[in-house]
Amino acid sequence: MCIRDRYQRRVHGTNQSNIAKNLMRILTDDETKSFFEKLGQYIGPNIRYLIDRNDETFVFRLIKDRVYYMSETQMKLATNIAKDKLISVGTCFGKFTKTGKFRLNIFCLDYLSKFALHKVWVKPAGEQSFVYGNHIVRAHVARATENIPQYTGVIVHTLDDTPIGFGIVARDLNNICLLYTSDAADDLLCVDLGGRRIIKKK
């Protein structure tokens, strides 16, 4: 049984009567599939470490169009908050668009960094440019994990190992390195970064 199926079996066994009162609910099968596929681009099978924890049971819940990661204790406490007062709980991992696609949020960066399959470390000269929404060229890459496939999700770090963002590898790191600085659009030509559009240079 895959991680997504095990997670769905567990959450569907949870009592949802109180949760429904304040519009916090479990993800549907389609939402879970879309969400896990997006996470899988960055952390792959390490998703299991978010679900099968030794300290406490953690779950993903949807509030309006945003997915939050929280402990069961936090979830139960949140049910005591009126639906018009509950803004967020736990860590926001991202949101679903009106078309049903999931977009990651920078707030989950610490989790992505901890369990990422592929990482890139940038030189100081490239840090500010990246944070302000520009691509990273090969000259700004100090090092990277080995054998990163093209169009693979990576977490971007400074040289002192501080995560500063995420994106996808648009070209082979052995050739030209272009990292999109936000959640990639399906056509890999442009991304949505804080309401701004960044078009791939030809």
Side-chain angles (χ1 to χ4, degrees):
M1 183 181 298
C2 71
I3 297 173
R4 187 180 72 232
D5 292 338
R6 287 195 291 112
Y7 176 73
Q8 284 294 81
R9 285 187 61 183
R10 188 172 75 187
V11 298
H12 281 299
T14 304
N15 187 341
Q16 300 295 310
S17 58
N18 290 331
I19 295 175
K21 294 179 181 178
N22 57 11
L23 301 183
M24 179 169 63
R25 63 172 177 81
I26 65 175
L27 279 67
T28 65
D29 290 343
D30 288 341
E31 290 167 343
T32 300
K33 179 181 179 180
S34 177
F35 175 52
F36 275 39
E37 285 177 350
K38 181 63 67 175
L39 276 185
Q41 293 179 14
Y42 294 90
I43 64 177
N46 291 338
I47 293 174
R48 66 180 182 272
Y49 295 120
L50 294 174
I51 299 171
D52 299 327
R53 296 177 52 144
N54 296 324
D55 51 350
E56 187 178 355
T57 300
F58 273 66
V59 296
F60 292 103
R61 289 293 182 268
L62 192 74
I63 301 177
K64 295 183 179 179
D65 57 355
R66 287 172 168 78
V67 176
Y68 292 86
Y69 181 60
M70 68 193 78
S71 67
E72 281 196 341
T73 299
Q74 290 174 314
M75 180 184 67
K76 292 175 182 177
L77 290 173
T79 60
N80 297 315
I81 302 175
K83 65 182 180 180
D84 58 335
K85 302 295 183 182
L86 182 63
I87 298 175
S88 68
V89 56
T91 301
C92 180
F93 264 61
K95 63 177 292 185
F96 286 99
T97 66
K98 292 182 179 179
T99 58
K101 297 175 182 177
F102 185 78
R103 297 293 174 86
L104 287 171
N105 191 296
I106 200 69
F107 295 123
C108 69
L109 185 58
D110 286 342
Y111 287 107
L112 295 182
S113 175
K114 184 177 181 180
F115 301 117
L117 297 179
H118 303 289
K119 299 180 180 182
V120 170
W121 289 263
V122 297
K123 299 175 183 177
E127 291 177 14
Q128 185 172 357
S129 176
F130 175 74
V131 171
Y132 277 93
N134 296 306
H135 301 308
I136 296 177
V137 297
R138 186 184 177 193
H140 287 161
V141 176
R143 67 182 191 276
T145 51
E146 297 181 355
N147 302 319
I148 302 179
Q150 191 173 14
Y151 303 138
T152 297
V154 296
I155 306 302
V156 181
H157 292 73
T158 62
L159 291 182
D160 64 0
D161 218 30
T162 301
I164 58 173
F166 54 86
I168 63 169
V169 177
R171 297 289 180 89
D172 191 324
L173 281 172
N174 294 322
N175 187 11
I176 300 174
C177 175
L178 288 177
L179 298 178
Y180 292 101
T181 56
S182 185
D183 200 359
D186 288 346
D187 58 5
L188 301 178
L189 295 178
C190 52
V191 296
D192 189 0
L193 180 63
R196 183 171 35 170
R197 257 355 230 187
I198 301 175
I199 306 301
K200 177 180 175 182
K201 294 181 180 179
K202 306 225 174 166

